[in-house]
Amino acid sequence: MTPGDTRPDPRPPAIGPEQVRHVARLARLRLSDEELARFTGQLAAVLDYAAELAELDVEGLEPMAHPLPLRNVLRSDEPRPPLRRDEVLEQAPAVEDGCFCVPRILSGEG
Amino acid sequence: MTGLPDGWEVVVGLEVHCELATATKLFCGCANAFGAEPNTNVCPVCLGLPGSLPVLNRRAVELAMRIGVALGARIAPSVFHRKNYFYPDMPKDFQISQYDAPINRGGRLELPDGTVVGIERAHLEEDTGKTTHVGGTGRIGGADRALVDYNRAGVPLVEIVSAPDIRSAAQARAYVAELRAILVATGASDGRMEEGSLRVDANVSVRRPGGPLGTRCEIKNLNSMRSLGRAIEFEAARQIAQCAAGGQVVQETRHWDEDRGETVPMRSKEEAEDYRYFPEPDLVPLEPDQRWQAEVAASIGPLPAERRVRLLHLLGAAPTPAQAEQVRSVVASDLDALVVAACEHGAPASLALARTANEVAAEPSSAARLDPAAFATLLVLEASGELATSQSKQVLAELLATGGDPAEIARRLGFEPMDRGELAGVIEQVIAEHPEDWARFAGGEDKVRGPLIGAVRKATGNKADPAAVGRYLDERRARGS
Ligand SMILES: [Zn+2]
C-alpha cells in the first residue's frame, strides 16, 4: 500500500464470538460457552490464513466461478429409472401415506 | 373490485415461478410429472444422498433461454449457487438456484393495454418438495406433523422477477395472464396454475403518488388469479390503514389465507433470511454461445401479442370491447390457430372468434380435435341463415363431441336447413297476410320489424333464423318493393 492510499485493509476483521454464535445457529449447532470460545479462536486462525489471498494482486483478472476449465456440462432430457419407493422410504425417520413424516414445522414456506 | 382511498397508490412487483415442461428434472433423470404417487420419482441426486452429483438438463436451459428471448432479456453467462436453509422440503438442506449471475438479465413485458412492465431477471432453479401439514388445525403453525413428497424436488423452475412497475390488482392479473400466455406460446410451460405450474409471490407497498416507495411486504401462496387480485387489494388496504393511523408498515413475509380472505404474517426467526449463498461446486458455469442462442431464438413461434394482431386484422373493423376480450382469451388458450384456419375456409371472422372464445374454449379436451373445415362449414350455414344461432350451437356441440359433417348433423337433429327460396316464399306470404304492418315498416316504422319476424318464425315452426328474416325484410324495404 502506498502512503496516502485510502483503500481499507483488504483483510476482513477477525471473527468474534457473536458471529460464531450466529453461524452455529444457522447450521443448527448448539455450542457451550467453552466451545464457543475455542471455535472462535480456531475460526479466526483459519480466516486469517485464508486472508493471505487478499494480498495477491488480481488486477485485470476475471473472477473465477469454478476451478475447472469447463463450461456447459449438460445431459439430454431423457428419463432414467428412479429408486424403488420402499428403498427410498427406508431412509425416512417415519413414514405415513408413502411420505416422509417429519415433526411439525413452526415457520418457513410451504 | 374495491378501489383504493384517494391519495394512495399501490406498488407491486411480482415473482412468478414457472415449472418448465421438460421430461426430466433439472439435475437428474427422474420424471418431471404431476400427480404421481408420492416419492416414486426420486433418486440419489434429488434426494441429496452422499456421493451423488447433479448434471444440468440441456432442455431446461433451452426453455429458460426461450423465456429470456420472449421477454427481451439478455442471455448472459451464469453460475449456480447453493441457497442454504433448514426446511424438510429440500432433503439436501439447500436449493440450487442462480444468485448474482442469472441466465436472463433485464427485459420487458408489454400488457395488452400498452403498459410496459420491466423484467429484472429470469433465472433457473430447482423446485422444492411438497409438504402437507396434518393433524392439529392443519395450518402450518398448528399442524402436528408434516408429510413430505419429494417428487417435485428438483423439478426445473424459472423464476421471473418483475420490476415494481405494477400499479393495481387488475394490472397484476393482466401481467400474470400475459406472462402465462407467453410461457405457453414458447412451449416453456403448460401454464396450469391449478397444478402449481405457475406460482406467484407479490411484493406489495403503498405510497402517495409520486412519493418515495413505501416499505414492502412479500405475499406468498398466490395460487390463482383470484387469490392474486384479492391478496393485493387486501394488503394495500391493510398497509394504507396502518399508515393512515400513524403507524408504520413492517417489512415481512405474509401468507395469503384464501379461506379467511386476508394476509397473515409468517412466523420466522430473524436469521431465516440468511441463506449463505455460495457457488455450487458440483456444477460448472453455463455460457450458451451465440450459435445456441440463435437456434433457440429461431425455434420460437409468434408471441401472443403478434397473434392477437393477426386476429384483429382478420376482424377488419375496430373490435368491440367484447371482441377484444375474445381475442385475448382465444390466444391465451392457444385456440387462435383454429380461428385463423376457419377463416381460411371461408368462415366469417367475428362469428369464428365468438364461437371459439365461448363454445369451443369451454371444451378444451375436444377443441384440439375440431376440424377447422367442418367448423367453417357450420359457421357459413349459420351466417347465411340456413341454421338459427341456437341450432348452430347444438350442431357445434355435436361436432365437438363426435366430429362429422355439420349439414348431416343438422339433418339428424331435425334442423332441416331452410333453403332461401322456401324462406322467401314464407316471408312473402306473411307480408301478404299483414299488409298494414308491412306498410308501416316500409314507411320507416322499425318497431313493427320484430312482430313481422315473429310472424315468419311462427309460420315456419320457429325454423327460420330471425337474423336471416330481418335481413330479407330490410333488403325488401330498401328495394322499395
Ligand atoms: Zn432424481
Side-chain angles (χ1 to χ4, degrees):
Chain A
M1 225 184 258
T2 51
D5 192 334
T6 54
R7 279 186 306 176
D9 186 335
R11 290 176 172 232
I15 194 166
E18 268 321 299
Q19 274 172 291
V20 175
R21 199 191 304 277
H22 176 66
V23 172
R25 203 181 293 137
L26 289 175
R28 301 296 188 270
L29 296 174
R30 191 180 294 125
L31 302 183
S32 67
D33 288 347
E34 185 270 326
E35 284 168 325
L36 188 67
R38 178 150 49 96
F39 293 143
T40 301
Q42 287 181 355
L43 273 171
V46 170
L47 289 173
D48 201 44
Y49 179 57
E52 285 180 16
L53 285 172
E55 288 165 13
L56 291 174
D57 180 8
V58 292
E59 199 61 38
L61 287 180
E62 278 286 305
M64 190 170 67
H66 201 280
L68 299 178
L70 286 174
R71 297 285 181 271
N72 304 332
V73 176
L74 301 160
R75 66 181 175 84
S76 60
D77 186 26
E78 282 161 19
R80 297 182 59 168
L83 288 173
R84 289 202 337 266
R85 182 159 81 174
D86 51 353
E87 204 179 346
V88 169
L89 293 176
E90 275 171 18
Q91 314 291 319
V95 174
E96 189 175 327
D97 293 340
C99 290
F100 288 70
C101 182
V102 298
R104 75 197 186 113
I105 296 148
L106 283 171
S107 64
E109 25 201 282
Chain B
M1 280 203 196
T2 51
L4 294 184
D6 277 349
W8 288 96
E9 179 178 68
V10 62
V11 176
V12 179
L14 295 178
E15 295 170 10
V16 176
H17 293 80
C18 157
E19 281 185 0
L20 298 179
T22 55
T24 67
K25 293 187 180 182
L26 188 52
F27 300 116
C28 63
C30 291
N32 168 14
F34 177 80
E37 283 291 303
N39 295 304
T40 52
N41 288 325
V42 291
C43 75
V45 174
C46 55
L47 286 175
L49 300 185
S52 63
L53 286 172
V55 187
L56 184 58
N57 182 339
R58 172 184 294 272
R59 179 77 178 160
V61 176
E62 279 171 2
L63 296 182
M65 286 199 279
R66 285 190 191 184
I67 294 172
V69 170
L71 295 174
R74 184 169 63 84
I75 295 172
S78 63
V79 176
F80 288 92
H81 275 69
R82 290 187 183 178
K83 177 182 179 178
N84 299 278
Y85 66 99
F86 283 91
Y87 194 77
D89 64 2
M90 263 331 231
K92 299 191 289 245
D93 282 337
F94 62 84
Q95 177 191 25
I96 302 177
S97 182
Q98 294 189 316
Y99 181 50
D100 54 359
I103 180 165
N104 296 304
R105 304 183 195 187
R108 65 202 289 281
L109 187 148
E110 188 174 338
L111 304 184
D113 71 1
T115 308
V116 172
V117 177
I119 301 293
E120 292 185 347
R121 55 190 281 156
H123 67 259
L124 268 167
E125 64 182 29
E126 56 179 345
D127 207 347
T128 59
K130 193 168 165 34
T131 51
T132 309
H133 299 89
V134 293
T137 63
R139 295 188 197 285
I140 289 181
D144 133 286
R145 60 201 188 281
L147 305 185
V148 195
D149 169 13
Y150 290 121
N151 283 347
R152 205 180 63 185
V155 161
L157 289 180
V158 165
E159 179 178 338
I160 301 143
V161 182
S162 88
D165 291 345
I166 295 164
R167 292 290 175 274
S168 69
Q171 222 172 47
R173 291 162 61 120
Y175 169 88
V176 174
E178 185 66 7
L179 182 56
R180 183 189 168 282
I182 290 172
L183 295 169
V184 172
T186 53
S189 168
D190 62 23
R192 292 189 192 126
M193 280 189 100
E194 67 284 5
E195 291 184 3
S197 296
L198 277 193
R199 303 193 296 273
V200 185
D201 297 339
N203 287 302
V204 179
S205 63
V206 296
R207 66 171 177 184
R208 300 291 186 181
L213 287 174
T215 303
R216 66 192 167 92
C217 290
E218 183 177 6
I219 318 297
K220 292 194 172 281
N221 191 39
L222 304 174
N223 299 326
S224 69
M225 289 288 194
R226 185 177 134 84
S227 303
L228 173 65
R230 288 179 74 206
I232 290 172
E233 283 177 358
F234 174 88
E235 182 61 18
R238 184 189 74 83
Q239 292 183 12
I240 290 168
Q242 195 128 22
C243 295
Q248 275 190 336
V249 175
V250 180
Q251 181 162 354
E252 62 187 352
T253 302
R254 300 175 69 89
H255 179 91
W256 170 247
D257 188 323
E258 179 70 31
D259 296 335
R260 292 196 293 188
E262 60 186 36
T263 63
V264 287
M266 290 171 69
R267 279 197 283 166
S268 60
K269 292 183 182 153
E270 60 199 53
E271 72 272 16
E273 293 291 302
D274 189 342
Y275 292 122
R276 295 160 294 152
Y277 282 96
F278 66 85
E280 166 58 83
D282 293 338
L283 291 165
V284 300
L286 179 62
E287 292 183 13
D289 60 19
Q290 288 301 323
R291 191 172 146 195
W292 192 14
Q293 292 185 33
E295 276 170 20
V296 168
S299 71
I300 299 176
L303 293 175
E306 193 183 326
R307 287 158 55 182
R308 285 195 296 267
V309 168
R310 173 99 202 261
L311 289 186
L312 291 171
H313 191 74
L314 282 174
L315 279 175
T320 64
Q323 284 178 326
E325 182 48 42
Q326 287 168 356
V327 165
R328 270 200 289 280
S329 77
V330 158
V331 170
S333 45
D334 218 11
L335 289 170
D336 47 322
L338 174 67
V339 178
V340 172
C343 290
E344 280 164 1
H345 283 94
S350 59
L351 195 53
L353 177 66
R355 290 286 174 279
T356 304
N358 298 306
E359 285 73 18
V360 178
E363 302 290 336
S365 52
S366 323
R369 291 198 311 269
L370 182 60
D371 172 23
F375 183 44
T377 305
L378 172 63
L379 298 180
V380 169
L381 285 176
E382 179 181 343
S384 68
E386 290 186 46
L387 285 176
T389 300
S390 62
Q391 296 175 331
S392 172
K393 286 183 180 176
Q394 288 181 61
V395 175
L396 179 54
E398 269 302 295
L399 209 51
L400 280 164
T402 59
D405 171 37
E408 167 78 36
I409 294 169
R411 268 194 297 280
R412 202 168 63 228
L413 292 173
F415 307 149
E416 205 54 58
M418 284 203 79
D419 85 42
R420 281 166 188 258
E422 190 188 343
L423 181 62
V426 175
I427 296 174
E428 289 301 332
Q429 197 187 330
V430 167
I431 288 172
E433 285 165 6
H434 302 79
E436 285 171 24
D437 285 347
W438 173 255
R440 286 167 64 195
F441 178 69
E445 236 182 281
D446 278 338
K447 68 179 180 202
V448 288
R449 189 175 183 269
L452 278 170
I453 294 172
V456 174
R457 296 258 297 155
K458 200 173 162 201
T460 59
N462 289 335
K463 268 194 336 193
D465 177 30
V469 177
R471 269 198 305 277
Y472 184 95
L473 293 173
D474 295 343
E475 282 165 19
R476 196 178 191 278
R477 177 168 70 177
R479 283 199 309 271
S481 52

